Amino acid sequence: MFISRPSILSPLIRDSAIRRYAGIAVAACGVDLLTKEIAVRSLGETGWVLLTDRLSLTLVWNTGAAGGTSIGPFTWLINVVVTVLALGLVMSVVRAMAAVDARSTLALGLVSGGAVGNLASIVAGPVGVADFLAVRLSDDLTMVANVADLFLWAGALTLVPVGATLVRMARAERRAARPRLVPVQAELA
């Protein structure tokens, strides 16, 4: 007879907020990695496809930190450590934030999925992260991103109203905790 012991993860798996968050994160990561693979295979090292006068597809390998900035020889290690720590922080607040605002699971799932997609790209290969969505902002400035970056930004923007809800709740809680001053009337004898 086989007796199974409950897994440490069992309570988390039964938690619908955690399941929803994890599903969104896995889906976002999968879409990101798939689009990077398609871009690399389709565009190659020199491929370029003009979509509009401001939007094109072109492959750029980002070997730096966010935005392509370099932090010196430890850029790769710092990217990995900061991303893992941030993911741990996000996972620690999912349940609590979902109790306050259901949109937080979507927002945090998108942020985590994008982060994991870029982390996988950093760790998987020596070339860097494949960025391929080029947006010409001016004649001298073009921003190149990938789908993980779009998920990160969409998640961050979705967190704005969640943050506003948290601020309103904190203010209401502070107001409720303030002692109420009751006017005292002088007694006339």
Side-chain angles (χ1 to χ4, degrees):
M1 177 176 187
F2 178 75
I3 300 173
S4 68
R5 291 181 13 215
S7 166
I8 293 173
L9 296 177
S10 293
L12 294 177
I13 293 169
R14 285 192 302 261
D15 188 322
S16 64
I18 299 293
R19 276 197 324 268
R20 184 168 181 247
Y21 157 79
I24 292 166
V26 167
C29 178
V31 168
D32 171 61
L33 293 175
L34 178 64
T35 57
K36 286 175 184 169
E37 183 64 25
I38 291 169
V40 168
R41 287 179 186 237
S42 301
L43 296 171
E45 291 297 323
T46 58
W48 181 73
V49 177
L50 183 65
L51 301 175
T52 70
D53 63 331
R54 297 245 179 227
L55 181 64
S56 63
L57 301 176
T58 187
L59 187 61
V60 175
W61 293 101
N62 181 356
T63 58
T69 58
S70 176
I71 311 168
F74 298 106
T75 301
W76 184 90
L77 180 61
I78 291 170
N79 277 339
V80 171
V81 169
V82 168
T83 301
V84 169
L85 290 174
L87 286 167
L89 176 65
V90 167
M91 287 188 285
S92 73
V93 300
V94 169
R95 185 181 295 128
M97 287 185 66
V100 171
D101 192 324
R103 292 175 290 194
S104 64
T105 54
L106 171 63
L108 296 173
L110 289 173
V111 168
S112 295
V116 171
N118 278 341
L119 178 64
S121 298
I122 290 170
V123 172
V127 180
V129 177
D131 289 340
F132 56 91
L133 301 169
V135 179
R136 188 169 56 86
L137 303 173
S138 70
D139 289 340
D140 300 327
L141 181 63
T142 299
M143 178 187 77
V144 185
N146 57 43
V147 173
D149 300 330
L150 299 180
F151 286 142
L152 284 160
W153 279 105
L157 289 173
T158 305
L159 280 174
V160 171
V162 174
T165 299
L166 290 170
V167 168
R168 279 194 306 276
M169 289 177 66
R171 287 180 179 163
E173 190 175 293
R174 274 198 312 267
R175 277 193 304 271
R178 275 190 219 140
R180 302 249 187 248
L181 298 177
V182 179
V184 177
Q185 295 180 346
E187 288 185 32
L188 296 173

